[in-house]
Amino acid sequence: MSATDSPALEATTAWSPTAGIDASPQVGAPAETLGSSPKPGVRLVVQVPCLNEEETLGMVLSTIPKSIPGVAEIIVLIIDDGSTDRTVEVARAHGVTHFVRHARNRGLGRSFHDGAQKALELGADILVNTDGDNQYPQERIGDLVQPILRGEAEIVIADRQVHLVEHFSKFKVMLQNFGSGVVNKAAGTKLPDAASGFRAYSRDSLMLLNTITRFSYCMETIIQAGNKKLKIASIPVVTNPKTRESRLFKSMREHIMKSAGAIVRSYIMYKPWAIFSFFATIFGLLGAYFFARYGILRLTGDTGEHLQSIVVGAVSLIVGFLSIIIGITADLIRTNRMLIEDTLEHTKKMRFGRVGDYISLTEAQEMGREQALAAMAQRSSPQRSSH
């Protein structure tokens, strides 16, 4: 088996209460602190996708809050997307014990997908995603999760206020605003910064979202959430100074092309009939125009053959008819995908569901060890009795 065929996930079972976690539950925090009664026993997982971030990861980890009102436990999860530097060593030096490891770079979309799965395995009630380049203000994580804690939203996205970002040119700001407008149109939302990766997800939203795009999950998850009628909120933040160039894309042209492809693909997944009915209407009207033109010329006594009108009209009507057929087929596929997603949701709930009161991760692992020891003792007891 080659290195690239090795398992994508590395799960560490040891847990240290010093790994950036406030082990004492904050369930006794005053209600006015959150605006409503805090949810007891909330476990927050902060995931940090990394690709060769040894120089900046320490700053990120040192600014993640150690305690948040209404949150009982904070877990830091590092997604190592094929790093070749000391990223993992830096994370371990800061007390991190939970990792998702990729033997080679698989992209931001895949990193988010694997991180979300691992977070659910860890029992996350809320998942916060930030970046390893220290672009986002981790100090605001407490503010980011408040709408979810209060039950006002299922997803919260930080608004970077791109017009205030110093290293963003006017052209890039314009593209960011245009891209957010397109995503809002496709999702039926009103988010000022759809491309922001600093965001929080509730456990229920993670059960419903299924990322497919490997370039970037940002646009796709918003379109999915909007079409699944999940409540999305936004809070303004101010980003940190730029530390390096983006590794997500090599040029602005590549970024535009890949982002546009992700938006169109996600939109077609949920509203295929809107796309193909548009093309059917355009080509149908075009074909009707050329046939009407041919008929009018004939009626007015024009002696020309006008074969080009017949050919273009016929081809346009055929393309319009094919668009209708493809639209019907795509809509049936959409219905089938919705049924599959319902099955995936139930599968996730069966796999990651929790029943009963909150149990800290340390206690859960201790209980797991005790059950394992009891099972071993039970298996060995008949052997002793037989002797």
Side-chain angles (χ1 to χ4, degrees):
M1 180 181 292
S2 65
T4 56
D5 293 329
S6 60
L9 305 183
E10 173 189 304
T12 56
T13 56
W15 171 249
S16 171
T18 63
I21 294 177
D22 178 26
S24 59
Q26 301 291 326
V27 296
E32 59 268 20
T33 304
L34 301 177
S36 61
S37 298
K39 183 180 178 182
V42 173
R43 179 175 293 159
L44 168 65
V45 172
V46 180
Q47 72 171 21
V48 188
C50 296
L51 174 60
N52 297 331
E53 305 288 8
E54 65 172 327
E55 295 182 0
T56 57
L57 183 57
M59 293 185 289
V60 174
L61 297 177
S62 64
T63 54
I64 294 177
K66 300 297 185 295
S67 64
I68 296 174
V71 174
E73 191 170 14
I74 302 174
I75 301 171
V76 177
L77 172 64
I78 298 295
I79 299 97
D80 173 26
D81 193 25
S83 297
T84 56
D85 63 356
R86 297 183 60 258
T87 294
V88 173
E89 287 78 359
V90 171
R92 293 189 191 280
H94 282 77
V96 178
T97 58
H98 296 276
F99 296 85
V100 172
R101 304 289 300 276
H102 292 165
R104 60 176 295 182
N105 178 254
R106 295 189 177 183
L108 184 59
R110 182 69 194 191
S111 295
F112 174 81
H113 173 273
D114 291 346
Q117 294 291 308
K118 182 62 178 176
L120 288 172
E121 290 177 5
L122 293 172
D125 294 291
I126 302 175
L127 170 66
V128 167
N129 187 90
T130 187
D131 280 351
D133 62 356
N134 199 39
Q135 174 187 176
Y136 302 115
Q138 285 72 226
E139 302 89 347
R140 297 293 304 279
I141 288 178
D143 298 324
L144 197 66
V145 301
Q146 293 307 312
I148 296 178
L149 290 173
R150 295 193 295 262
E152 297 173 357
E154 291 154 300
I155 300 174
V156 184
I157 300 176
D159 173 16
R160 295 171 295 175
Q161 305 179 85
V162 293
H163 61 284
L164 299 178
V165 180
E166 293 182 358
H167 62 274
F168 276 18
S169 64
K170 291 183 179 180
F171 178 67
K172 190 170 183 178
V173 171
M174 182 184 69
L175 286 178
Q176 291 281 351
N177 292 331
F178 176 76
S180 294
V182 173
V183 172
N184 286 328
K185 183 69 175 179
T189 54
K190 296 180 180 179
L191 299 170
D193 187 10
S196 172
F198 190 37
R199 47 181 68 185
Y201 296 85
S202 70
R203 184 179 184 85
D204 289 340
S205 69
L206 293 177
M207 296 287 186
L208 291 170
L209 298 176
N210 301 290
T211 55
I212 298 172
T213 305
R214 293 299 174 251
F215 168 64
S216 176
Y217 66 93
C218 296
M219 309 292 190
E220 181 184 8
T221 52
I222 291 176
I223 294 175
Q224 283 194 31
N227 284 278
K228 292 182 178 182
K229 306 303 180 183
L230 297 178
K231 177 65 175 178
I232 308 176
S234 179
I235 66 166
V237 301
V238 177
T239 60
N240 295 323
K242 183 179 180 180
T243 57
R244 60 165 174 79
E245 296 297 329
S246 174
R247 296 185 182 130
L248 190 60
F249 50 89
K250 297 179 181 179
S251 65
M252 184 60 65
R253 179 178 178 275
E254 180 186 4
H255 177 56
I256 293 172
M257 295 300 293
K258 288 187 175 181
S259 296
I263 293 171
V264 172
R265 190 180 300 110
S266 300
Y267 190 74
I268 291 177
M269 284 176 59
Y270 287 92
K271 296 181 179 179
W273 185 245
I275 296 289
F276 292 106
S277 63
F278 170 77
F279 286 116
T281 302
I282 294 297
F283 284 105
L285 291 175
L286 188 63
Y289 166 77
F290 279 102
F291 273 110
R293 177 178 181 273
Y294 177 79
I296 292 172
L297 290 173
R298 280 298 188 183
L299 291 174
T300 56
D302 194 306
T303 57
E305 294 183 356
H306 301 291
L307 291 178
Q308 65 273 23
S309 294
I310 297 176
V311 172
V312 175
V315 171
S316 298
L317 289 178
I318 290 172
V319 173
F321 177 74
L322 289 176
S323 297
I324 294 175
I325 299 301
I326 295 173
I328 293 173
T329 304
D331 194 61
L332 292 174
I333 294 174
R334 179 188 67 87
T335 302
N336 186 59
R337 195 200 68 257
M338 291 174 63
L339 297 175
I340 294 174
E341 287 187 340
D342 285 343
T343 303
L344 284 173
E345 180 187 351
H346 291 303
T347 302
K348 287 181 181 179
K349 288 181 177 179
M350 291 176 64
R351 178 183 176 187
F352 303 120
R354 290 207 313 265
V355 180
D357 296 332
Y358 167 81
I359 300 176
S360 71
L361 191 59
T362 307
E363 293 174 352
Q365 290 176 345
E366 290 299 329
M367 291 171 60
R369 294 190 187 96
E370 292 175 0
Q371 291 174 356
L373 291 172
M376 291 174 61
Q378 188 174 11
R379 285 197 300 269
S380 62
S381 58
Q383 296 177 0
R384 295 195 188 97
S385 60
S386 62
H387 293 291

